Structures are given as C-alpha cells and as structure tokens.
Amino acid sequence: MHNPVTRLAGALALSTALVAPAFAGSHGASLDGTLRIISDMSNPAPRAVMEKLAADFGEMHPDLEVELDIVDREAWKSQIRNALSANPPDVVNWYAANRMLPYVESGLFMDISDMYASGELTGLDSVKGAMTIDGKQWGVPYSYYQWGIYYREDIFNELGLSEPATFEEEMANCQKILDSGRKCYTIGSKFLWTAGGWFDYLNMRTNGFDFHMELARGEVPWTDDRVRETFANWRKLIDMGAFIDDHQTYSWQEALPFMVNGEATAYLIGNFAVPHLREAGLSDDQIDFYQFPKIGDHPMGEDAPTDTFHIASGAQNVEAAKAFLKYVTSPEVQAEINGPDGLGQLPVNANASVADDEFIQQGFEMLSQNATGGIAQFFDRDFPAEMAALGMEGLQEFMVFPDNLDDILQRLESARQRIYD
Amino acid sequence: MTVAVDLPPEQGWFRRNRMTLTPLLFLLPGVLFFAVYVVIPIFQSFYISTYEWNGLGELQEQGEFVGMGNYRELMGDRAFEVSLWNNVKWLALYLLAIPGGLFIALFLNQTVTGIRIYKSLFFFPFVLSQVVVGLVFSWFYLPREGLLNAALTLFGMEPINVLGDPTLATYGIIAAGLWPQTAYCMILYLTGLNAVDPEQIEAARLDGAKGWRMLWHVVIPQLRPATFIAFVVTIIGALRSFDLISVMTNGGPFGSTRVLSFYMFEKALSEYGFRMGYGSAIAVVLFLIMLVFIAYFLWSMWREEREARR
C-alpha cells in the first residue's frame, strides 16, 4: 500500500463498504478502464434511475469511466442483436426466461454462474430460476412487477361489488357491471401482448401453472382438450360482451381512457399501468387491485415479468461489469431503484425493503404468499419467440372472432410441431 | 511550343487511354457503391435463404443448410399467401393515383389568381412523412372519435372500424397511401402539361376536337413521358409499402394487412423474428416480383433510347 492510488482505492473500498456492504465484500481492488453500458430504460422515470445508477457507480470507482448509452425501449428489442454482435458493450438490458434464449444459444450473453455459485449474489434465490438456461445463469434481474386486475374501486362500491375470489363471482360481478351500462374490462390488443396476459391467467387458473409451463415448452399440443377448456372459459367472458369493442385497434395506453372515464371498470395489466392511471387523475381511492380469481383447483400461478442486466460475451471490462451487476442487485440499491421515487416496482433482492405504496405492497404480498403455483414471466417471455408471435396473433383473432378457434388451434399446433422440433 | 512536339513519345499508358479511362473512373465510385449496397446483398439474400439461421453469430457456424426448405415452407404458409395477395391489392389500387393525379393536374392547369397556392396545397401531402400520413389517417379511422365515423353517422350510416376489420384494413391503408401518391403524380403531370405543344392543341381545335377526344388523342399522348415516370414511381411505391402498415396496424388485425416487405421484416428482424433464412426467402420472392417490373421499365427505356438515336 505504498502507492497512493491503491491506498485511495483501499480507503474507497472501506468507505463504500459502509454504504453498500454487499458490494464491497470481495472487491477490494479498484476498477479501472471503461465500463460501457447500453440500457433500454428510456421512459422518463427509469431513465433517471439508470442515469443515477451509472453516476453513483462511477463515483464509487473514480478510476473507472462509466459510459452509458440509453436506447429507446421498443427500438432496443430489435437493435440488441446488432449491438451484441459488433463491438459489444460490457453490460446490456434485456428480459428473463426464454427471451434470453436466442442470445444464450448464440453465445452472446456471458455465463455468470460463478457469481451465483460463489455466493457473491445473495438474496436472489427466488428469481434465479428465471435467469437459468441449461443449468447456468446468464444475467441478473433488477426489477419485476406483478400482473393482476386493476379496477375502479369507486364503481365497485357504487354497484355494491366486492373483489371476487372465484371465476363465478367474477362473472356475476361482470354481469352487474354490464347491466349498469359499462364494460367489464378494457384492453388494447393492437400490439398483441395484452391478449397474452389474459391467456396466461386463464390457462394457469384453468389448468394450473405446471400445465401452462408444459405448453410453453411445447410438450402439450395446442389442440389438447385442456387448452380448449381455457378458451371455453375465455369465451364465456367474450360472449357476455365483457371486453370493450374494437380493442384490436388500440394500444395498451389507448385503452386506459376507457377505465379512466369509467366506461370499463377493470384492466388486466402489469403494475406499470398505475402511474398512468394516477396521472390521468384517478386517486388511490378510485383504483384498487386484486389477484386474478381462482378457476380450477390449482395453486395460483402468477405472471411477474422480470427485467434484467446481462454481460455481453464480448465484454472488454468483465471485472467492472460483474461489479456493476453485483452493485445493482445489492439490497440497498434494489430498495432505492425500485422505490416510489424510482421505478415503483418490486425489488428482486429478498433482503431489500419494499416501497410503501398500496399497489407495490399488494403485489409483493401476493407474489410472496399467494403465488404458490409458481411465477411465470409472461406469454412472450416463456414461449419461444416465434411461437409467442404466432400465438399472440391467434389470441387476438380469438378475441375478435371466437368462432375461428378450431382453425387457430390447428395453426398453432402445426407451428408448435415445427418450432420445437 | 517545342516542348509539345517532344511529348507524344513520352505519353504514358494512362494518357493514351484516357478517353476510355476517364468515364470508367467517374463511374467507379457509383459502381462500387451499387455493387456493395445493392448487387452483392441480392446474391447474399439468395445464399442466406438456403439456410436456417437466427441472424446472430456466424452464418457458417450457427446456420443450418436447408436447401430449398424455406421456399417449400413458404408454399404452405398462409400468412405468406395473405401478404402476397395484399401486395397484389396494393399494386392494383395504387395505380389509381395516376388517373387521380392527372385529373387534379388538368384541373389545376389554369391561370387563376393564387393558383400557385392551390397547387402547393395539393402537393402538400407528398411533403409529409409517411409516418405522419399514417398517424393522421389512423386518427381519421378511429372507431369512436374518428372523423370518418362522425361523417358516416351524420348520414345515418353504421360506424365502421376500418383498421380493426380484417376485410377492410388493407383498403384503409391503401387509401391513406393514395393521398400522397396522387399528389406526386399530380406534380409530374403538371410539369408534363407545361411541355404540351400549344400548336398541336390549336390544330386539333381547328379540326373540331374537344373534351374527351382532345384529352385522349392529343393531350395524353404528349404526356407519355410523365405517365411513364408516374407508373414507375407508383409501382415501386406500392411494392415498398411498409411504413404506413407499420404505423397504422402493425400488420394486424391478426396479420391481415401484412405485405411481403412487412412479413419479411417480421420474420427476420422484428422483436420476435429470428429467422433470417426464412426472411431472406421472402425477400427473394419480393425481388423476383420487382424484377418483372424493373425489367419492363429498363426494356422500355432502352427501346425509347434506341428510337431516339435513329
């Protein structure tokens, strides 16, 4: 420790140890060079979070230059392949589960199983599964959020309805809502994935989480009677007229006004819709949340999509990248970035505190206590990419023309036989 | 002067051949870029279309040779069939822009105060980006708030959801595309009308021609160059249609508004598209369709040039 720089680094490690003990545990040495991050957190709130993350991390390591590049979230979905192939950055954003598969298979994500094995990453046991392909881990999560039914509490009170626990109650509620001249559910299926949410829940409730996952892995034919039963339940709602008209024309954001104006009372969506509803002028007294009701006698499975960080396999500064991943998942950072001033979502680290927000608390409680069936990622993350795209198209078609079901299932089945083989 | 006399024997190879070399040198950059960005990629598409490859990593390592497999699959792919038919619809209906543009051009070809303002107003949609045109039209078609349905209900008709109805959506998008395309054809005809020979009009008038006969037998034949260009840009515009579809329906509802270029993008490059080989096969089919038109255009241009030289 004669070198003043290393001494400084030692002191720094010591001081950071007070701030983020989980981080400073094993990395006493200072990091240098450049750390290049490409992030897709382009919406205003996530963008601020990401910029602060990079700035804080850079401050902890004065010798390290953190280069942050924020790309539009939608654009990133098709840009990532180029970004990873030519002159790859060190760290990138992506999504968990099967969404990683093409990049894992092509060797573009780095295997970081050693970080999980060495105990560097603590408190991530519950989310580890979503990061695992072929028994290895390919990244770390940084945030996840619950899905469920967000509804207009004031309209429910007006009609004397209570949160349903079973599908029968759900349908009885819906009938009363329809009788009052409103629609039960708003949905915008122009970009297809919202319909995937409905299928996920109906299938997980009708046939259980394990069956849903078998279907996602291609082990069950789409023409199976159990799949048909799921669609039959869905059809009950469609035939009642529960969904808003012309939903195939709207994006998920364009479907929000129906709920805000009280023309529809509920929305099956992820927690990311809450800030939009609040901004549109709904107070917390007017919105509430309940878990998708029970249909069959199966333990409840839930959708909770996880957003992730990965190290590119062509990363130049692997040491810094690993340190960054570790920093992001530490309990303190997790509590901060997922807090009400940050993403307003659930922290992935079990030791992190959960924000004091009505919806985040409810979601946390639901996922930690009442999701005994298992936690799914989402239709387009659990199914392989091509199957997901064809599947969601079929789901949208079913919602508009339920009579086409046989044709849709035949088509998906022949796609399944080709895609998984 | 004496120096000049001594020069000829010292002339290098380059100097002697400069009459051939200079044009070649001037052509070189263009040919080079054309080869790198157009010709070679065409052959690469053929090559890639014989592989099953996810577009990540090296084709040689990750790709699997399937021969004509992708084309065989295309034959039985209903989405491909839908896209192909939509392309045909686009080609046929987009040509309406030519008579439309001619009609407006004839209408605007008069001397009234402020005609330039009217001309530029008619030309305006072509200046707008396709994305903006798409957005404006999708608002126009909105099922509840849209102007179209407001007008329809005013006349006591049932409101329709143009972009949400698989049988109507493609026509709705083509209508949006016709708006700027008509303006384009109009401007081509307006310039063409300037070149119409007044003496021939005068002579025809003396012979008693007017109205349709004048238009059909005297004016339109003189507009042939404008018609040819309008035809070329409209055909190519129809086959290139992508942005309007992407903005207005994203290929939906359930894939009913896809055209080949959009389907290719979806399969090879989009969020869920990891089938480079399959996408390339679609690209090859699209290229072959375009080739028919391109060959026709080149042939008729060559023929005209030859006639001009005589």
Side-chain angles (χ1 to χ4, degrees), chain A residues 94-104 109 130-131 133 138 310:
Chain A
W94 195 237
Y95 309 98
N98 248 335
R99 258 335 248 294
M100 307 190 294
L101 190 63
Y103 306 99
V104 170
F109 282 163
M131 306 309 302
I133 290 179
W138 304 92
H310 302 269

Side-chain angles (χ1 to χ4, degrees), chain B residues 133-173:
Chain B
V133 172
L135 269 180
V136 169
F137 265 81
S138 48
W139 294 333
F140 176 70
Y141 290 141
L142 273 183
R144 302 199 314 162
E145 298 86 349
L147 269 179
L148 177 72
N149 281 333
L152 283 180
T153 39
L154 202 68
F155 291 109
M157 282 185 274
E158 284 288 301
I160 45 170
N161 179 12
V162 178
L163 297 182
D165 184 337
T167 52
L168 288 179
T170 294
Y171 300 108
I173 303 174

Side-chain angles (χ1 to χ4, degrees), chain A residues 157-207:
Chain A
N157 289 338
E158 185 195 315
L159 299 174
L161 306 175
S162 54
E163 296 185 359
T166 65
F167 199 56
E168 284 73 34
E169 286 173 43
E170 177 83 30
M171 288 203 294
N173 274 357
C174 181
Q175 195 51 55
K176 286 188 189 141
I177 294 167
L178 289 168
D179 291 343
S180 76
R182 299 177 178 95
K183 290 287 186 183
C184 306
Y185 315 106
T186 183
I187 178 174
S189 63
K190 181 178 176 184
F191 294 100
L192 309 176
W193 53 269
T194 44
W198 273 96
F199 179 79
D200 278 353
Y201 274 104
L202 286 163
N203 198 33
M204 282 193 287
R205 293 292 183 267
T206 310
N207 298 310

Side-chain angles (χ1 to χ4, degrees), chain A residues 142-144 331 334-335 338 345-350 352-355 360 364:
Chain A
Y142 67 88
S143 182
Y144 71 118
Q334 273 298 305
N338 285 302
Q345 295 181 353
L346 293 166
V348 293
N349 194 312
S353 59
V354 178
I360 302 178
F364 182 72

Side-chain angles (χ1 to χ4, degrees), chain A residues 209-368:
Chain A
F209 176 84
D210 295 334
F211 176 81
H212 185 64
M213 284 299 139
E214 281 166 28
L215 186 66
R217 288 192 299 265
E219 294 162 11
V220 185
W222 277 90
T223 42
D224 192 285
D225 281 340
R226 288 168 291 181
V227 180
R228 285 181 190 276
E229 204 182 321
T230 300
F231 281 101
N233 282 329
W234 199 347
R235 177 138 196 188
K236 286 179 196 162
L237 294 175
I238 296 171
D239 286 347
M240 286 171 82
F243 298 96
I244 59 164
D245 297 325
D246 299 322
H247 55 78
Q248 71 271 32
T249 323
Y250 304 119
S251 68
W252 75 267
Q253 292 102 325
E254 285 166 338
L256 285 166
F258 291 89
M259 183 162 165
V260 175
N261 301 335
E263 292 166 79
T265 49
Y267 202 167
L268 175 67
I269 197 81
N271 195 59
F272 51 80
V274 171
H276 294 267
L277 291 171
R278 283 180 179 150
E279 257 168 49
L282 293 180
S283 70
D284 282 9
D285 298 334
Q286 288 175 293
I287 5 174
D288 206 348
F289 170 84
Y290 64 85
Q291 186 173 17
F292 198 95
K294 211 176 183 71
I295 299 180
D297 189 22
H298 301 286
M300 306 276 236
E302 288 296 323
D303 266 344
T306 307
D307 293 349
T308 55
F309 276 109
H310 302 269
I311 303 178
S313 49
Q316 298 297 312
N317 200 341
V318 178
E319 202 189 344
K322 285 191 167 172
F324 181 75
L325 261 45
K326 197 170 162 194
Y327 172 72
V328 171
T329 49
S330 65
E332 291 76 14
V333 176
Q334 273 298 305
E336 193 192 326
I337 64 173
N338 285 302
D341 299 329
L343 301 169
Q345 295 181 353
L346 293 166
V348 293
N349 194 312
N351 304 325
S353 59
V354 178
D356 185 19
D357 171 279
E358 188 189 340
F359 298 100
I360 302 178
Q361 287 287 350
Q362 285 194 57
F364 182 72
E365 206 183 288
M366 174 178 85
L367 292 175
S368 51

